[in-house]
Amino acid sequence: MTPLLEGLNSLLDISILLYMLVGLLLGFMVGAFPGITATMAVALAAGFTMTLEPVQGLAVLLTIYVAANFGDRVPSILINTPGTPASIATTLDGYPMAKQGRAGLALTMSAIVSAVGILASLVLFALAAVPIASFARDYFKSPELFALVVFGIAIMIGISSKSMLKGILAGVFGLMLGTVGTYAATADKRFTFGSLDLVEGVNFIAVIIGLFGIAELFDQLLTHRKSHVRPISSLGRWWPNKSEFKQSGRATAVAGAVGLGVGLIPAAGGDIAGLIGWERARKASKHPEMFGKGSIEGVAASDTASSATLGGSLTTTMALGIPGDSVMAVMIGSMIIWGITPGPTLFTERPDLVVSIVGIMLVATLLSLGLSLVRMKGMVKLLDVPQPYLWSGILIFCIIGTYATSNSLSTVITMLVFGVVGVLLKRMQVPAGPVVLGLLLGPLAEENLARTLAILPTRPFFEVVSPIAIVLLVLAVLSIVMPAIRAARKPRAERASFADSVLDTASVTQLSKAHEELAADPDLLTSTVRNPQAAKSRRLRKNSKENKK
């Protein structure tokens, strides 16, 4: 049986569909609750999937990943709060549309273009993954793999923090965590302090859940303020008409191309792609002045771009073993526990698994689209769930999920410790991404560096270190040095991370003006607009009474 048929055949098991339905519901709920990221949900679910078969576990994790990309648009549009970082750009036009009584239209367009973006990215994966993996398998030896890891960590450091120094410190901290345990080359134990629990290194799932789950939970507990903002209660018209589809076509195409490109850059996630895609679509639009005021083009652009990164992230993860984003970092950790090593050899050793992964994401996208097109009255109700109940449930599942990975109380303690560490990192504005990447890829970089240093004394330098490795190392240095130089030239108050500075000054000014114009309309100040016609009638009656006086 060919790998294609084997991969597709493994998806015909009824249990796979059941696991995908579980992932679908979890992903939508995760996206709908602000503050619960897809990384946090996948990390938490990973603790419960360790005992499953790889395809079953991947069915849960990948479906959560895809469904969260649909569900996070709901709070972005209805309460102006991103469900996950990937939907930040959705708030720019989605919430103004909702305030104008067009929430249903924004939700529907968001779901359609999100599906388009993910499907296009899967085509990219199908076309690019095998050539990239073949090239890496033929030309990437120990020096190139070391340089690639350094490049991946450097890229994440360069784009994840306002302060380059803080990003570097986070990366170094992650690399230090990666040295704990047994050194593979000599079998020496390092930094274990006599503890048997540290012999195999710091538990990756515990660190992930601590940094992204418990830290977020603790941070919300410490900063919680009761909000009186209510979700938009009237969703209005749902289905876009022909002219609205046509109007959004160019924005979808432009932003989709941006998302596909950004997705291939390690660590550059949907939040960055969404903002860049929104900006490029605004410049290409015939009505750029409408962006930021409730433009359906703006919603289409931001959601297409952020969704189109999924395939690119999957490509770098599976073809090179370098996680495209933090969710894929968790995915790599889970696959390693299952005995599967993502990278160039995956396509020769387990091509059927690659086919299964594409099939899972394709089916998950179609299921998520179908669920999104159902009028989401119930999903809106989820936004009214009291947060204390949500926090309690998250904490319980974090503890149970972490304990399930090793059946050891020390793993739960590790999770809680890194939860506190995560809160401290948030308070100091130190990004957690480089920490995770350093922990995951540090041992790989160390192993390949050791091999390279062992070969160098016996052979000429340029025979061992190829131009590919040198170029990657140069790019790694530039990705850190150039942003640092640009930031040093700006006043401290104007410095921002790459994700915060992708919009040009004109766009920022336009957004501010659009928000001021929206706020100037008394009938749009409230987030409980029910009927635009009723609001108009009230204004007319009010004016009539004033005229009589």
Side-chain angles (χ1 to χ4, degrees), residues 17-355:
L17 179 59
L18 295 176
Y19 286 122
M20 290 186 68
L21 291 176
V22 171
L24 183 70
L25 295 176
L26 289 176
F28 260 90
M29 288 192 292
V30 163
F33 289 120
I36 307 179
T37 64
T39 306
M40 174 182 174
V42 172
L44 179 56
F48 293 94
T49 59
M50 293 297 98
T51 57
L52 301 178
E53 293 296 321
V55 177
Q56 295 174 335
L58 288 171
V60 177
L61 302 183
L62 288 172
T63 306
I64 291 175
Y65 185 36
V66 171
N69 203 70
F70 284 81
D72 63 358
R73 275 48 175 168
V74 176
S76 297
I77 292 170
L78 297 184
I79 59 174
N80 201 29
T81 303
T84 68
S87 62
I88 289 174
T90 309
T91 62
L92 300 180
D93 283 288
Y95 187 59
M97 282 186 68
K99 293 175 77 174
Q100 295 161 10
R102 299 189 294 158
L105 181 60
L107 289 169
T108 301
M109 180 57 72
S110 172
I112 293 172
V113 299
S114 293
V116 169
I118 296 176
L119 293 176
S121 71
L122 290 179
V123 173
L124 172 68
F125 175 77
L127 295 176
V130 173
I132 292 175
S134 300
F135 178 82
R137 186 173 59 250
D138 295 338
Y139 296 98
F140 277 52
K141 309 304 179 186
S142 294
E144 291 77 21
L145 289 173
F146 168 75
L148 182 64
V149 171
V150 172
F151 175 66
I153 296 175
I155 285 289
M156 178 165 275
I157 288 172
I159 67 176
S160 59
S161 177
K162 295 181 181 180
S163 169
M164 191 59 62
L165 178 60
K166 292 178 180 179
I168 293 173
L169 289 175
V172 171
F173 178 53
L175 292 172
M176 291 173 62
L177 289 175
T179 63
V180 175
T182 304
Y183 180 39
T186 61
D188 291 332
K189 295 178 177 59
R190 304 178 302 182
F191 309 112
T192 60
F193 305 103
S195 173
L196 295 176
D197 295 316
L198 295 177
V199 170
E200 295 183 1
V202 182
N203 188 287
F204 179 73
I205 298 297
V207 173
I208 284 284
I209 294 178
L211 289 178
F212 290 99
I214 298 298
E216 183 65 37
L217 178 64
F218 287 170
D219 188 59
Q220 290 189 28
L221 285 169
L222 293 172
T223 60
H224 177 61
R225 297 289 185 276
K226 188 173 181 180
S227 175
H228 298 287
V229 175
R230 303 283 297 170
I232 301 294
S233 57
S234 177
L235 303 181
R237 177 167 60 93
W238 280 83
W239 198 255
N241 55 39
K242 186 176 180 180
S243 64
E244 288 166 336
F245 272 121
K246 185 177 180 181
Q247 181 184 356
S248 304
R250 178 182 296 182
T252 301
V254 171
V258 170
L260 293 176
V262 173
L264 291 171
I265 302 174
D271 51 346
I272 295 173
L275 290 170
I276 299 177
W278 184 91
E279 167 70 5
R280 293 293 179 266
R282 185 191 70 84
K283 290 183 176 180
S285 174
K286 295 180 180 179
H287 304 284
E289 72 282 354
M290 295 303 298
F291 276 62
K293 300 178 182 178
S295 169
I296 194 169
E297 288 182 84
V299 172
S302 58
D303 288 347
T304 305
S306 60
S307 300
T309 60
L310 268 66
S313 177
L314 188 67
T315 301
T316 57
T317 303
M318 298 301 164
L320 299 175
I322 302 295
D325 54 28
S326 54
V327 175
M328 283 297 151
V330 180
M331 208 75 69
I332 288 180
S334 299
M335 294 178 73
I336 290 174
I337 294 175
W338 285 319
I340 302 168
T341 304
T345 58
L346 179 66
F347 289 77
T348 54
E349 296 176 357
R350 293 295 306 274
D352 58 308
L353 185 64
V354 177
V355 174

Side-chain angles (χ1 to χ4, degrees), residues 263-455:
L264 291 171
I265 302 174
D271 51 346
I272 295 173
L275 290 170
I276 299 177
W278 184 91
E279 167 70 5
R280 293 293 179 266
R282 185 191 70 84
K283 290 183 176 180
S285 174
K286 295 180 180 179
H287 304 284
E289 72 282 354
M290 295 303 298
F291 276 62
K293 300 178 182 178
S295 169
I296 194 169
E297 288 182 84
V299 172
S302 58
D303 288 347
T304 305
S306 60
S307 300
T309 60
L310 268 66
S313 177
L314 188 67
T315 301
T316 57
T317 303
M318 298 301 164
L320 299 175
I322 302 295
D325 54 28
S326 54
V327 175
M328 283 297 151
V330 180
M331 208 75 69
I332 288 180
S334 299
M335 294 178 73
I336 290 174
I337 294 175
W338 285 319
I340 302 168
T341 304
T345 58
L346 179 66
F347 289 77
T348 54
E349 296 176 357
R350 293 295 306 274
D352 58 308
L353 185 64
V354 177
V355 174
S356 297
I357 289 172
V358 175
I360 289 170
M361 291 195 68
L362 176 61
V363 175
T365 302
L366 297 178
L367 289 175
S368 299
L369 175 61
L371 184 59
S372 298
L373 294 180
V374 176
R375 300 195 174 194
M376 292 183 280
K377 297 287 186 180
M379 190 65 72
V380 176
K381 294 293 184 182
L382 287 176
L383 300 175
D384 288 330
V385 174
Q387 285 192 305
Y389 296 128
L390 186 62
W391 295 332
S392 303
I394 292 173
L395 181 60
I396 291 171
F397 279 105
C398 283
I399 294 173
I400 295 174
T402 304
Y403 183 81
T405 60
S406 63
N407 294 324
S408 173
L409 187 60
S410 63
T411 308
V412 177
I413 295 174
T414 301
M415 176 200 69
L416 295 174
V417 168
F418 276 93
V420 175
V421 171
V423 173
L424 295 176
L425 293 179
K426 278 178 172 288
R427 290 290 182 269
M428 295 185 293
Q429 296 184 327
V430 175
V435 177
V436 173
L437 208 60
L439 171 61
L440 180 66
L441 300 181
L444 177 63
E446 184 181 34
E447 181 181 348
N448 285 287
L449 178 61
R451 290 176 183 171
T452 303
L453 294 177
I455 298 172

Side-chain angles (χ1 to χ4, degrees), residues 454-508:
I455 298 172
L456 274 177
T458 62
R459 296 166 62 182
F461 179 83
F462 288 105
E463 187 178 326
V464 177
V465 181
S466 70
I468 296 175
I470 295 174
V471 169
L472 287 173
L473 290 174
V474 170
L475 291 175
V477 173
L478 291 177
S479 65
I480 292 179
V481 172
M482 296 305 294
I485 293 175
R486 286 198 300 268
R489 291 179 176 178
K490 294 181 180 180
R492 182 176 296 274
E494 297 180 8
R495 297 177 188 176
S497 66
F498 180 72
D500 296 329
S501 60
V502 293
L503 302 181
D504 58 28
T505 305
S507 297
V508 174

